[in-house]
């Protein structure tokens, strides 16, 4: 899912690539919030499968966070490297979202295509790619927990790409894109919270 989010908004050793999204995804651009610490992002690889775990906090309630993460068709607006995000199916507690994203590092550039099956839970989004175009395996989750006036968001991705790129380049790309994805999400969450407080009651 997100990609940036969407991903939201990964590669393999010996030269395979994958990118992380949104509900999982690939994003560029950095926004710095003085009141927020830098997100904790960890990237690891084992036998050609990459995992990303990112954790951050926002000073907004969990429903605002969840509304941003599940606003699938608006993801390209605040995560411009996600070129397409279209809801193909929607029912209670689930969605199918088709996404395309573009990411690059130095002279390397790759377009990624996903069809994400998303399970929407009260405090989590569980996603996996069912098309297999860009990844042999692509699955993960967003977990949301509200406590003491703030919300913790944890992003997890496991991905095995189906195309080649140097592994060192992939790890740098994943860390960069995941960090920038989080900063864009933080900005969008704060802006939507501000808009909700300004609306007339």
């Amino acid at each position: 899912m997100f990609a940036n989010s969407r991903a939201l908004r990964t590669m393999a050793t010996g030269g395979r690539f994958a990118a992380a999204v949104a509900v999982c995804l690939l994003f560029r651009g950095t926004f710095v919030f003085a009141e927020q610490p830098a997100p904790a992002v960890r990237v690891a690889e084992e036998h050609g499968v990459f995992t990303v775990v990112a954790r951050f906090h926002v000073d907004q309630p969990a429903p605002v966070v969840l509304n941003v993460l599940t606003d699938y068709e608006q993801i390209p607006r605040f995560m411009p490297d996600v070129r397409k995000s279209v809801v193909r199916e929607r029912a209670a507690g689930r969605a199918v979202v088709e996404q395309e994203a573009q990411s690059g590092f130095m002279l390397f550039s790759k377009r990624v295509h996903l069809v994400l099956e998303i399970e929407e839970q009260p405090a989590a989004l569980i996603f996996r790619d069912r098309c297999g175009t860009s990844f042999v395996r692509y699955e993960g989750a967003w977990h949301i927990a509200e406590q003491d006036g703030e919300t913790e968001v944890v992003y997890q991705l496991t991905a095995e790409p189906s195309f080649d790129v140097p592994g060192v380049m992939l790890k740098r790309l994943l860390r960069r894109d995941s960090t920038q994805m989080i900063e864009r999400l933080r900005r969008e969450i704060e802006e939507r919270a501000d808009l909700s407080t300004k609306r007339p009651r």
Side-chain angles (χ1 to χ4, degrees):
M1 189 184 92
F2 330 150
N4 223 243
S5 227
R6 203 204 24 329
L8 262 96
R9 320 357 81 274
T10 305
M11 310 166 191
T13 297
R16 300 167 96 187
F17 165 90
V21 157
V23 141
C24 44
L25 301 172
L26 315 167
F27 317 108
R28 293 179 185 166
T30 302
F31 298 88
V32 178
F33 296 87
E35 71 277 11
Q36 294 287 358
V41 178
R42 180 173 61 85
V43 181
E45 180 273 334
E46 185 175 1
H47 303 304
V49 178
F50 280 74
T51 58
V52 179
V53 178
R55 186 184 308 268
F56 65 101
H57 295 79
V58 292
D59 296 326
Q60 301 300 334
V64 175
V65 176
L66 196 59
N67 284 342
V68 172
L69 291 175
T70 56
D71 195 2
Y72 307 118
E73 294 198 340
Q74 289 298 311
I75 289 172
R77 178 180 59 77
F78 58 92
M79 295 186 176
D81 280 2
V82 181
R83 307 297 174 84
K84 173 182 176 180
S85 185
V86 179
V87 177
R88 296 302 185 190
E89 300 176 29
R90 191 128 203 192
R94 67 176 296 274
V96 175
V97 181
E98 182 180 6
Q99 293 184 335
E100 289 185 359
Q102 185 82 30
S103 189
F105 183 78
M106 299 178 67
L107 298 179
F108 176 81
S109 180
K110 181 66 180 179
R111 183 179 294 270
V112 173
H113 181 256
L114 302 167
V115 178
L116 297 171
E117 292 186 343
I118 305 167
E119 179 185 346
E120 301 175 334
Q121 301 178 1
L125 300 174
I126 314 299
F127 61 88
R128 73 174 185 89
D129 174 46
R130 74 180 190 188
C131 75
T133 300
S134 301
F135 300 92
V136 176
R137 179 184 178 190
Y138 188 98
E139 60 191 25
W142 294 89
H143 294 281
I144 304 163
E146 186 174 344
Q147 185 175 10
D148 299 329
E150 67 177 18
T151 301
E152 180 186 63
V153 184
V154 179
Y155 169 69
Q156 299 171 310
L157 175 70
T158 300
E160 180 181 357
S162 59
F163 46 89
D164 294 337
V165 85
V168 173
M169 184 182 296
L170 168 64
K171 294 190 84 168
R172 291 179 180 177
L173 179 64
L174 283 176
R175 186 170 287 107
R176 184 203 69 181
D177 285 348
S178 297
T179 301
Q180 293 176 355
M181 174 184 68
I182 289 169
E183 299 300 350
R184 287 181 179 271
L185 280 172
R186 278 178 168 170
R187 178 186 173 98
E188 183 68 15
I189 290 165
E190 295 295 336
E191 288 182 351
R192 293 207 190 184
D194 289 343
L195 284 174
S196 65
T197 60
K198 293 176 182 177
R199 288 173 183 162
R201 298 181 181 275

